[in-house]
């Protein structure tokens, strides 16, 4: 009993210390939304903050304000101006870095929106946004200062929400918000059924099914002027809530959104850690960008796979493990640099990946024959047939198969959900 009491008191002391530190730097009642832009072409880029917005609600866990995963092409860091202490950080990706590899980026400049949410700092703060160079080293792209004089209250519409799955306090759970796009007012009944159906796909998929008591799922009831989703290839143009569209970056099935600020306006009707856009279409497609959003077709074949695969990207930073000739890229990942994604490796620094899950005497690299059912190091992944390796022969991040995440991807998802709930 004395031993238990000591542990309990130490735990309470540590918890108080963490919370008291955060109380020193942050408001417990308000949050800060930082809207910024990536702008440029394939040769140059700039990053600049457009707005600091104060929000009246705060649902973030004060214990997970420092991101130690080291995932993402970009990261934002917030330093207290008095102590110069790092008080918030988060890694993320954007559509901009993908667009920079397209032919279009050689002839024009474009802008891409991004938003980051955090507790509202009490003091002035330094804002640093960095991007990962090809060699894996971060380079500062933007530096500015937040103060009470440059933060404003944004007036946004509040939409009705539908609780789909509730496990507890949003600050201690992973909160997924589902935003419908392409649902007119005549589609309201279908929208509600699709909310429940897509949520069930997530909650029946491992490892989410084992973590369901740590997950909240909420739908936002927002209507579009017209039903359906924009599809330039088929000359389909409709007026929808967040303007999702196929053929992003000239890829027919890539279903993406550029109106990120509007998307976040709508998402703020509910507490959220991640956004899933549910698109009212039977055409196969989707997309997912780490710490930005995921999209999925609502009625397409294999929607259960599409949704969970794209959330693998957006929530947990998982890489695509496929490498077929249709999508192969020779130098997407430099072979002398370890990729930041947790489920692929170039063997440059395999120690920090899934080496501990590989049984002794398993060859590295691992041949397919004789090792189809084990965790190993199989060549081919990240769109490259040579030099990039994946953990297993088949996984939901490689093949169109629902509820088939490999042990490495499951571990990565679990670690991320636990981070939001700690």
């Amino acid at each position: 009993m004395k031993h238990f009491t000591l542990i309990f008191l130490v735990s309470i002391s540590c918890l108080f210390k963490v919370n008291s530190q955060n109380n020193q730097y942050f408001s417990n009642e308000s949050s800060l939304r930082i809207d910024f832009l990536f702008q440029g072409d394939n040769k140059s880029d700039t990053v600049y903050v457009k707005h600091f917005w104060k929000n009246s609600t705060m649902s973030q866990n004060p214990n997970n304000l420092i991101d130690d995963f080291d995932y993402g092409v970009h990261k934002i860091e917030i330093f207290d101006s008095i102590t110069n202490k790092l008080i918030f950080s988060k890694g993320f990706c954007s559509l901009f870095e993908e667009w920079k590899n397209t032919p279009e980026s050689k002839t024009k400049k474009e802008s891409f929106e991004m938003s980051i949410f955090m507790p509202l700092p009490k003091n002035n703060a330094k804002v640093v946004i960095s991007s990962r160079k090809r060699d894996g080293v971060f380079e500062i792209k933007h530096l500015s200062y937040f103060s009470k004089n440059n933060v404003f209250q944004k007036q946004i519409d509040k939409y009705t929400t539908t609780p789909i799955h509730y496990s507890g306090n949003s600050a201690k759970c992973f909160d997924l918000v589902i935003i419908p796009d392409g649902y007119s007012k005549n589609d309201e009944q279908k929208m509600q059924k699709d909310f429940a159906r897509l949520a069930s796909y997530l909650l029946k998929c491992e490892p989410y099914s084992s973590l369901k008591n740590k997950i909240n799922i909420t739908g936002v009831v927002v209507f579009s002027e017209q039903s359906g989703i924009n599809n330039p290839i088929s000359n389909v143009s409709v007026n929808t809530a967040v303007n999702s569209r196929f053929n992003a970056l000239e890829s027919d099935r890539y279903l993406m959104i550029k109106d990120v600020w509007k998307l976040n306006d709508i998402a703020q009707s509910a507490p959220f850690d991640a956004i899933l856009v549910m698109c009212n279409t039977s055409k196969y497609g989707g997309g997912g960008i780490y710490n930005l959003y995921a999209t999925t077709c609502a009625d397409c074949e294999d929607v259960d796979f599409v949704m969970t695969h794209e959330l693998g990207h957006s929530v947990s930073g998982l890489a695509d493990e496929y490498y077929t000739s249709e999508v192969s890229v020779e130098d997407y990942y430099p072979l002398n640099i370890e990729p930041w994604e947790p489920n692929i490796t170039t063997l440059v620094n395999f120690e920090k990946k899934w080496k501990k899950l590989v049984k002794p005497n398993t060859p590295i690299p691992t041949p397919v024959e004789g090792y189809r059912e084990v965790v190993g190091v199989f060549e081919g992944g990240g769109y490259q047939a040579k030099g990039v390796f994946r953990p297993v022969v088949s996984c939901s991040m490689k093949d169109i198969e629902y509820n088939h995440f490999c042990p490495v991807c499951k571990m990565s998802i679990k670690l991320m959900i636990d981070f939001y709930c700690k």
Side-chain angles (χ1 to χ4, degrees):
M1 179 63 71
K2 290 182 179 180
H3 182 64
F4 173 80
T5 302
L6 179 60
I7 293 175
F8 177 77
L9 290 174
V10 169
S11 300
I12 291 295
S13 174
C14 292
L15 179 62
F16 177 78
K17 183 177 180 180
V18 169
N19 287 335
S20 64
Q21 286 177 341
N22 286 312
N23 286 339
Q24 178 184 350
Y25 295 109
F26 297 108
S27 165
N28 291 327
E29 300 177 352
S30 301
S31 64
L32 176 69
R33 169 177 159 178
I34 306 175
D35 284 352
F36 52 99
L37 286 168
F38 290 93
Q39 188 174 65
D41 53 28
N42 73 326
K43 292 182 179 179
S44 63
D45 57 78
T46 57
V47 183
Y48 64 92
V49 170
K50 186 71 174 177
H51 298 111
F52 293 110
W53 298 118
K54 178 182 177 181
N55 300 293
S56 58
T57 58
M58 214 287 283
S59 62
Q60 290 159 299
N61 187 334
N63 299 323
N64 60 19
L65 301 182
I66 305 296
D67 179 356
D68 55 5
F69 286 97
D70 194 32
Y71 294 170
V73 178
H74 314 284
K75 67 177 177 179
I76 185 168
E77 297 172 299
I78 309 296
F79 296 86
D80 179 72
S81 60
I82 298 175
T83 64
N84 203 35
K85 177 182 174 65
L86 177 67
I87 58 174
F88 177 87
S89 66
K90 190 168 190 175
F92 62 94
C93 295
S94 79
L95 193 58
F96 177 62
E97 60 264 16
E98 297 183 27
W99 177 81
K100 285 182 69 174
N101 294 316
T102 66
E104 184 181 52
S105 71
K106 298 177 182 179
T107 60
K108 63 179 292 190
K109 292 183 181 292
E110 268 284 12
S111 296
F112 291 82
E113 300 171 351
M114 185 70 199
S115 297
I116 293 290
F117 292 82
M118 59 178 289
L120 181 69
K122 288 183 176 179
N123 305 321
N124 294 349
K126 181 170 66 175
V127 179
V128 179
I129 301 174
S130 305
S131 297
R132 201 185 296 261
K133 296 188 296 184
R134 187 118 174 113
D135 62 4
V137 177
F138 279 102
E139 176 185 22
I140 294 176
K141 291 288 186 177
H142 172 88
L143 192 154
S144 62
Y145 289 87
F146 159 82
S147 73
K148 295 179 181 179
N149 295 326
N150 64 358
V151 62
F152 302 94
Q153 189 86 37
K154 186 175 187 180
Q155 299 300 318
I156 58 175
D157 294 329
K158 286 291 185 180
Y159 297 91
T160 301
T161 59
T162 298
I164 305 169
H165 177 80
Y166 181 76
S167 294
N169 185 337
S170 62
K172 295 293 184 180
C173 289
F174 169 71
D175 293 284
L176 177 67
V177 64
I178 303 179
I179 297 176
D181 199 33
Y183 291 79
S184 71
K185 289 186 177 180
N186 293 331
D187 300 317
E188 183 171 9
Q189 188 174 5
K190 180 181 187 300
M191 178 196 295
Q192 295 294 342
K193 289 181 178 179
D194 289 352
F195 279 153
R197 180 167 55 87
L198 266 63
S200 72
Y201 295 150
L202 185 72
L203 297 174
K204 292 177 181 177
C205 176
E206 284 291 351
Y208 299 104
S209 57
S210 296
L211 301 167
K212 64 175 59 178
N213 64 342
K214 297 182 177 182
I215 297 173
N216 294 329
I217 305 176
T218 305
V220 179
V221 181
V222 55
F223 296 109
S224 298
E225 290 295 323
Q226 297 170 281
S227 299
I229 299 298
N230 291 288
N231 185 0
I233 291 179
S234 301
N235 293 317
V236 175
S237 178
V238 287
N239 185 357
T240 69
V242 294
N243 196 31
S244 56
R245 60 183 55 239
F246 286 98
N247 202 43
L249 309 186
E250 303 300 320
S251 178
D252 180 34
R253 295 180 175 181
Y254 205 18
L255 176 58
M256 302 302 284
I257 297 160
K258 283 197 67 180
D259 297 337
V260 170
W261 293 343
K262 184 177 182 181
L263 179 67
N264 280 283
D265 287 348
I266 296 170
Q268 284 183 237
S269 292
F272 72 94
D273 297 305
I275 298 172
L276 173 67
V277 182
M278 179 178 74
C279 299
N280 188 19
T281 179
S282 60
K283 177 178 170 59
Y284 185 97
I289 297 181
Y290 179 57
N291 274 338
L292 184 59
Y293 60 76
T295 67
T296 184
C297 47
D299 298 306
C300 61
E301 186 178 2
D302 298 311
V303 56
D304 49 2
F305 157 78
V306 173
M307 187 192 81
T308 50
H309 174 95
E310 302 302 351
L311 284 172
H313 291 309
S314 66
V315 173
S316 303
L318 299 178
D320 284 318
E321 296 176 11
Y322 48 79
Y323 56 92
T324 57
S325 58
E326 292 85 357
V327 298
S328 63
V329 181
E330 288 188 2
D331 60 349
Y332 192 84
Y333 291 97
L335 299 186
N336 62 335
I337 301 296
E338 186 64 41
W340 59 263
E341 296 92 332
N343 61 321
I344 58 172
T345 182
T346 53
L347 293 177
V348 171
N349 189 4
F350 186 47
E351 293 286 341
K352 75 172 189 177
K353 292 299 177 72
W354 62 90
K355 187 173 183 179
K356 63 183 179 183
L357 298 182
V358 179
K359 292 182 178 179
N361 302 321
T362 301
I364 298 178
T366 310
V368 173
E369 291 305 317
Y371 295 92
R372 289 183 176 273
E373 306 301 322
V374 305
V375 174
V377 185
F378 298 89
E379 192 165 28
Y383 321 118
Q384 295 176 218
K386 298 293 183 181
V388 178
F389 303 85
R390 65 191 191 279
V392 298
V393 173
S394 179
C395 169
S396 286
M397 296 310 296
K398 176 180 178 290
D399 299 309
I400 301 177
E401 189 171 353
Y402 168 65
N403 196 16
H404 191 57
F405 285 112
C406 72
V408 173
C409 290
K410 287 179 181 178
M411 178 180 68
S412 300
I413 293 169
K414 183 180 185 303
L415 287 172
M416 190 62 70
I417 299 299
D418 287 345
F419 172 74
Y420 283 107
C421 301
K422 68 182 182 180

